[in-house]
Amino acid sequence: MDADFAFDRGLDAALIADLSADLRDAGYTADAVRDAWGPLADTAVGHGLHGPALTALAGRTDAAATLARLLFLGVGTARDAVDAALPRVGAAGLERLALARIDGDEVVPQALLRPQDYGGTGDAGDTGEWWIASDLDEAALGGPLPTGHVLGVGGASLTLAGLQLTTPVERVLDVGTGCGIQALRARRAAASVVATDVSERALAITRLNAVLNGVDGIQTRHGSLFEPVAGERFDRVVSNPPFVITPRVAAVPEYEYRDAGFAGDDLVAAFVSGVGAVLAPGGTAQLLGNWEYRAGADGLDRVREWVAASEVPLEAWVIEREQLDPLAYAELWVRDGGTAPGTRGTPGTRGTPGTPGYADLVGAWLADFAARGVTGIGFGYLLLRRPASGAPRLARYERVTQPLGDGLGAHLGQALAAFDALAALDDDALAATRPVVAADVTEARHHLPGAEAPSVIELRQGGGLARTLEVDPALAALVGASDGELTAGQLIDAIADLLEVDAAALRADLLPRVRELVFTGFLRLA
């Protein structure tokens, strides 16, 4: 479908409200869709294979199955079935909303509209689910994506949505909003959200998704990075930016949803060094990004340089989740949307091994990396903060590669609060606090056969960043006894007496590690 999206011509709020009611009455939910085609087909759909799901739906005429075929899978459906499934809106209403077109007795989808779990609050009426419109995917199109494709909710989108801080704020900026999933998520904790994108079509889809889900307070603006909000300040900035490193050569297509036209990792560098200008004092920014390892230099050191380049001093907590070599990275993104070499921006053959142009595309990526001496590419999470006052204190760059759970935003917020609380405590004040071990912490002891004393003691975190820490007997004893009854100083003195070591020396050793355990969530201060 071309860029003249119906929502550019004004939203029909009443019609969209009717669509929302129809979807709700039809029971068009994520669980209903999964139940309709089963776990194997659901996994196949996630891999872009719709055959098993269509087989499971064959012969079903109920509303949920009809909508799953038409709006989830993007398959043409009989008009009378669509009219029955959406009695208020019907096929004609979907056409007015540019979600489908009518071709005789068939309704042909022009966009996807999928239910998406987001985790409800438990309040009455909060189902924990949205309907999210996006462009037709490759399986529905039967070929590669157009370069202006507006992506739906993918793994990266869900990751950032789960990372978003949950503490209430006034104003949030969503840079590169796409289908609007981050803006919707941010609005749950913010009085208002400004969502920006270089794609007018993405902004139109964001507006639709906001109205469809009854979410107000989201304003859309067109433009790149921080241009649309120059001179304004926000309490929080979130962004899943088009950070994919792409060769700047004519044979490689530019997909707006993943590529902003910058060379190398310059897009993330520009974001990091420029976001301070739109942050209010005490404001935070959260984004996903890639960074290059060049000529053996550590990629996280590059991120440090970007933070240092900010004219507004920033604190930083950067977590690298994985690192790929240039070949693996090239193949990942060629498969994601690669097309055979040709005119820039013109879709061609799907980028898979053995198809025409695949090797040339991978070669273009490798040549681009070689020109900059790139030996690896890191991916991870960035949390930046403009200090409310004074100089930056938080500068944490780490690698966390273990599997993580969902909904890390609350944990990150608690860690920031703990950091601020600890910054106000010198060692004597910290020793006077009463630590309490977190409820999700367990201990594992490993013994050599026949040995009485453990050779390894580990503290394991069930939530948060799921950290595992190897500790010595003194720290293990302190954590094990941290029930809020005794102060940290009293615990250390008792442990020193038990181990027959100098109490002052043990205090100097343990208190810095207690700070780390409080920040990472193993301990809290009563």
Side-chain angles (χ1 to χ4, degrees):
M1 192 167 64
D2 62 26
D4 186 21
F5 205 53
F7 313 112
D8 293 327
R9 302 190 295 271
L11 288 167
D12 187 334
L15 183 60
I16 295 173
D18 283 344
L19 175 59
S20 180
D22 278 344
L23 295 174
R24 188 173 296 107
D25 289 349
Y28 185 49
T29 67
D31 283 344
V33 169
R34 284 191 288 262
D35 291 344
W37 53 50
L40 178 62
D42 196 58
T43 300
V45 169
H47 294 173
L49 304 172
H50 289 180
L54 290 171
T55 298
L57 296 175
R60 287 186 51 172
T61 59
D62 57 288
T66 296
L67 297 178
R69 273 192 294 266
L70 179 72
L71 298 178
F72 201 110
L73 301 179
V75 174
T77 304
R79 180 173 181 175
D80 58 353
V82 175
D83 287 338
L86 302 171
R88 298 175 182 83
V89 172
L94 290 181
E95 188 169 59
R96 285 173 56 195
L97 291 173
L99 293 171
R101 63 178 174 84
I102 299 172
D103 185 5
D105 293 331
E106 185 179 41
V107 180
V108 181
Q110 300 295 283
L112 301 177
L113 184 58
R114 292 173 166 174
Q116 176 61 57
D117 297 319
Y118 68 81
T121 62
D123 296 336
D126 185 355
T127 63
E129 194 159 281
W130 288 310
W131 295 292
I132 301 295
S134 64
D135 278 332
L136 297 172
D137 59 19
E138 290 163 297
L141 289 170
L145 304 174
T147 54
H149 176 80
V150 177
L151 195 67
V153 179
S157 301
L158 292 175
T159 294
L160 181 60
L163 289 170
Q164 282 197 37
L165 298 175
T166 58
T167 47
V169 292
E170 284 297 314
R171 300 189 77 206
V172 172
L173 171 65
D174 175 16
V175 179
T177 191
C179 67
I181 183 67
Q182 304 307 328
L184 291 173
R185 181 76 177 192
R187 179 64 178 86
R188 298 176 69 200
S192 65
V193 177
V194 174
T196 70
D197 207 289
V198 297
S199 166
E200 290 281 13
R201 180 171 175 75
L203 297 176
I205 290 178
T206 292
R207 293 192 292 272
L208 165 66
N209 286 330
V211 175
L212 182 64
N213 292 287
V215 180
D216 62 2
I218 296 177
Q219 180 188 106
T220 59
R221 299 188 196 174
H222 181 258
S224 177
L225 284 175
F226 311 113
E227 294 171 0
V229 295
E232 299 181 51
R233 297 291 181 271
F234 296 85
D235 304 300
R236 188 169 297 154
V237 178
V238 297
S239 183
N240 180 15
F243 57 75
V244 176
I245 298 168
T246 307
R248 304 266 71 87
V249 295
V252 178
E254 295 179 354
Y255 292 96
E256 288 181 352
Y257 72 88
R258 73 181 202 188
D259 175 24
F262 287 69
D265 51 18
D266 287 352
L267 180 278
V268 181
F271 189 104
V272 171
S273 59
V275 70
V278 300
L279 284 176
T284 56
Q286 294 179 272
L287 69 150
L288 307 180
N290 279 154
W291 40 85
E292 295 180 340
Y293 286 68
R294 296 183 180 177
D298 194 302
L300 287 178
D301 287 341
R302 287 181 56 74
V303 185
R304 289 178 188 270
E305 293 171 359
W306 300 339
V307 174
S310 173
E311 293 185 3
V312 176
L314 293 175
E315 296 181 313
W317 184 6
V318 180
I319 298 173
E320 183 175 273
R321 292 288 289 138
E322 65 177 333
Q323 187 183 147
L324 296 177
D325 63 55
L327 177 59
Y329 189 90
E331 291 193 302
L332 170 66
W333 293 110
V334 170
R335 291 192 194 99
D336 174 78
T339 59
T343 304
R344 178 184 288 271
T346 302
T349 306
R350 179 78 173 105
T352 53
T355 58
Y358 179 85
D360 290 337
L361 282 170
V362 172
W365 252 274
L366 295 181
D368 181 60
F369 285 137
R372 292 189 302 278
V374 175
T375 58
I377 303 92
F379 164 79
Y381 319 148
L382 299 91
L383 194 161
L384 310 170
R385 184 168 67 166
R386 179 175 181 174
S389 62
R393 300 187 306 270
L394 177 60
R396 188 180 181 98
Y397 299 79
E398 58 182 323
R399 293 176 175 87
V400 177
T401 58
Q402 63 267 21
L404 302 178
D406 299 325
L408 290 173
H411 172 74
L412 297 181
Q414 291 161 6
L416 291 179
F419 180 86
D420 293 337
L422 290 166
L425 302 176
D426 61 16
D427 280 354
D428 288 340
L430 179 61
T433 63
R434 289 175 165 78
V436 178
V437 64
D440 65 335
V441 173
T442 57
E443 180 184 274
R445 295 183 175 234
H446 304 272
H447 295 73
L448 292 173
E452 181 178 351
S455 56
V456 176
I457 306 173
E458 293 177 333
L459 298 178
R460 296 175 178 174
Q461 188 177 47
L465 293 176
R467 300 176 189 270
T468 296
L469 301 178
E470 186 175 333
V471 297
D472 56 32
L475 187 57
L478 186 148
V479 172
S482 291
D483 57 7
E485 292 296 319
L486 298 177
T487 68
Q490 290 171 328
L491 291 173
I492 292 172
D493 288 345
I495 294 167
D497 185 58
L498 179 66
L499 298 179
E500 298 181 342
V501 298
D502 180 72
L506 188 62
R507 179 174 296 209
D509 174 53
L510 289 184
L511 285 178
R513 293 194 278 166
V514 168
R515 289 182 183 274
E516 174 69 5
L517 291 178
V518 172
F519 176 80
T520 53
F522 284 81
L523 295 175
R524 62 179 177 86
L525 302 181

